[in-house]
């Protein structure tokens, strides 16, 4: 028989009290973060040295809320140049210890420093000679004493008014993990290009890795005409290739100019232009904006925005037209 769930009791909302409590939490956690700064010293440097000298991965572990923070720290380390992954300490003692190799290093999180699941795997780590870095709030705890390096994440109080829910303590551990990741990033000389390589599907990865050659139209898809063709022929080429412009090239495909929708509108507005008899050379724009195929797609977006244009021709070092693209190509590639 299914138990009947009582409807939630009606609680009178007190906006002033809610704002006061929320601000108190933020102030409490901000104060705890500030207290971490003067503790960063030789122990922190030693932790970084151990990780930089590690030929394997950083294995991060923790139980409960500390486990959630440990997962985030592992992800941050991995994305900033330090190979890392999370292992659940409870699962570790049931087979997952096989994931940890002698060349690895372990970063263990436990505010009390007495978490049974974490302590249970320490003898195996010690037997294998695997270095251990611990983040705890109790420098005299079992985990802190057995660690090769201990980072002090102690706090004066939790933000929870009951003093029970891990709040300030998990924030402190997370900040120490971030501090490690960024200090290691700086020490390795990790660059934005390196970051993009581990985030190829993200917007940053697309902006930093995608080249013009990856998105441009090539071959028969490039709109181009000879300099002596009529306006009608140029318009037909523009319509067929759907880029809103056409390159005007010589016999060797070297760029002479570009004819765009804007050039057409200006010609229609000029009573001195014989639209039936004019060649495209008379109406084209000379010296148009171009870009090289090796440039970043993001640079094309910046160029288009700066000059208020919607398409670009791609040329090589000899000014031969090798490609073309417009703003819709960049939109499809999610560069803009």
């Amino acid at each position: 028989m299914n138990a009947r769930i009582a409807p939630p009791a009606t609680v009178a909302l007190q906006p002033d009290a809610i704002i006061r409590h929320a601000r108190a939490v933020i102030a409490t956690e901000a104060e705890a973060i500030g207290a971490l700064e003067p503790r960063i010293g030789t122990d922190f440097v030693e932790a970084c040295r151990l990780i930089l000298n590690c030929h394997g991965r950083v294995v991060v572990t923790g139980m409960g809320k500390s486990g959630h923070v440990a997962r985030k720290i592992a992800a941050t380390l991995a994305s900033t140049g330090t190979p890392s992954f999370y292992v659940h300490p409870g699962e570790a003692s049931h087979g997952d210890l096989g994931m940890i190799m002698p060349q690895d290093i372990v970063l263990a999180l436990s505010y009390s420093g007495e978490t049974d699941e974490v302590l249970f795997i320490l003898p195996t780590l010690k037997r294998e000679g695997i270095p251990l870095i611990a983040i705890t709030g109790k420098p005299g705890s079992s985990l802190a004493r057995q660690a090769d390096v201990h980072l002090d994440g102690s706090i004066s109080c939790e933000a929870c008014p009951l003093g029970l829910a891990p709040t300030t303590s998990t924030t402190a551990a997370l900040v120490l993990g971030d501090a490690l990741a960024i200090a290691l990033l700086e020490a390795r000389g990790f660059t934005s290009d390196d970051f993009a390589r581990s985030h190829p599907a993200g917007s940053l990865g697309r902006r930093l890795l995608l080249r013009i050659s990856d998105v441009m139209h090539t071959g028969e898809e490039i709109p181009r005409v000879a300099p002596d063709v009529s306006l009608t022929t140029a318009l037909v080429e523009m319509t067929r290739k759907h880029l809103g412009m056409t390159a005007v090239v010589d016999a060797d495909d070297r760029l002479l100019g570009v004819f765009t929708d804007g050039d057409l509108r200006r010609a229609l507005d000029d009573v001195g232009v014989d639209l039936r008899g004019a060649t495209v050379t008379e109406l084209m724009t000379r010296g148009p904006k171009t870009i090289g195929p090796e440039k970043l797609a993001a640079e094309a977006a910046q160029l288009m925005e700066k000059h208020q244009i919607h398409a670009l021709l791609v040329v090589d070092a000899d000014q031969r037209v090798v490609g073309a693209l417009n703003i819709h190509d960049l939109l499809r590639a999610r560069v803009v």
Side-chain angles (χ1 to χ4, degrees):
M1 209 174 154
N2 293 332
R4 304 189 64 172
I5 301 174
T10 302
V11 177
L13 186 66
Q14 298 179 332
D16 290 343
I18 287 174
I19 292 171
R20 185 171 64 255
H21 296 324
R23 288 176 175 172
V25 170
I26 293 170
T28 300
E29 298 201 8
E31 182 180 352
I33 292 172
L36 293 175
E37 186 178 352
R39 300 181 206 156
I40 302 298
T42 55
D43 288 338
F44 188 87
V45 174
E46 180 62 14
C48 289
R49 187 191 66 79
L50 284 174
I51 295 173
L52 288 170
N53 290 335
C54 174
H55 297 292
R57 293 85 37 93
V58 177
V59 182
V60 193
T61 190
M63 196 69 189
K65 301 298 186 296
S66 292
H68 295 305
V69 174
R71 285 184 175 90
K72 193 275 179 186
I73 292 174
T76 301
L77 287 168
S79 69
T80 53
T82 300
S84 180
F85 65 96
Y86 170 79
V87 166
H88 190 289
E91 299 295 336
S93 58
H94 291 276
D96 282 3
L97 266 176
M99 300 168 68
I100 307 175
M101 306 301 291
Q103 64 268 30
D104 294 337
I105 189 169
V106 170
L107 173 61
L109 279 65
S110 167
Y111 187 75
S112 69
E114 302 294 346
T115 304
D116 289 339
E117 291 85 351
V118 174
L119 295 179
F120 196 75
I121 65 175
L122 296 189
T124 303
L125 300 180
K126 292 294 182 181
R127 188 166 58 249
E128 295 294 329
I130 297 171
L132 173 65
I133 300 170
I135 297 177
T136 83
K138 310 292 182 184
S141 64
S142 301
L143 178 59
R145 285 187 283 105
Q146 294 192 56
D148 296 282
V149 178
H150 174 250
L151 301 180
D152 184 1
S154 59
I155 58 168
S156 59
C157 65
E158 296 284 7
C160 168
L162 303 175
L164 299 175
T167 46
T168 311
S169 57
T170 48
T171 299
L174 181 60
V175 169
L176 284 173
D178 285 344
L180 274 175
I182 302 307
L184 293 166
L185 175 152
E186 295 281 1
R188 295 181 194 279
F190 194 79
T191 67
S192 55
D193 284 345
D194 296 322
F195 188 87
R197 275 188 280 274
S198 61
H199 297 73
S203 59
L204 180 62
R206 287 190 295 274
R207 290 184 64 82
L208 292 179
L209 295 181
L210 202 64
R211 304 283 173 179
I212 296 296
S213 56
D214 297 321
V215 297
M216 70 184 189
H217 298 270
T218 60
E220 291 303 313
E221 295 181 357
I222 303 173
R224 54 189 155 196
V225 294
D228 57 351
V229 304
S230 66
L231 175 60
T232 301
T233 301
L235 290 175
V236 170
E237 179 72 354
M238 289 169 61
T239 302
R240 286 177 56 238
K241 302 300 174 64
H242 307 292
L243 292 180
M245 56 91 174
T246 182
V248 183
V249 298
D250 64 15
D252 292 323
D253 255 356
R254 287 189 175 87
L255 182 64
L256 301 174
V258 66
F259 183 71
T260 68
D261 289 335
D263 293 316
L264 175 61
R265 288 192 295 271
R266 284 186 287 274
L268 291 171
D269 196 44
D270 189 345
V271 294
V273 174
D274 178 11
L275 295 177
R276 291 181 178 274
T279 63
V280 72
T281 305
E282 299 173 56
L283 306 175
M284 72 181 184
T285 297
R286 299 178 185 273
K289 302 299 177 186
T290 61
I291 197 166
E294 78 287 351
K295 297 292 186 180
L296 294 173
E299 294 181 69
Q302 292 170 352
L303 195 60
M304 290 182 188
E305 183 178 2
K306 179 179 179 180
H307 297 284
Q308 295 295 294
I309 55 179
H310 302 289
L312 279 173
L313 291 168
V314 185
V315 298
D316 63 15
D318 296 321
Q319 288 298 296
R320 288 187 175 88
V321 178
V322 295
L325 74 159
N326 65 12
I327 191 65
H328 299 293
D329 298 312
L330 299 180
L331 287 168
R332 277 190 291 272
R334 294 188 289 173
V335 175
V336 293

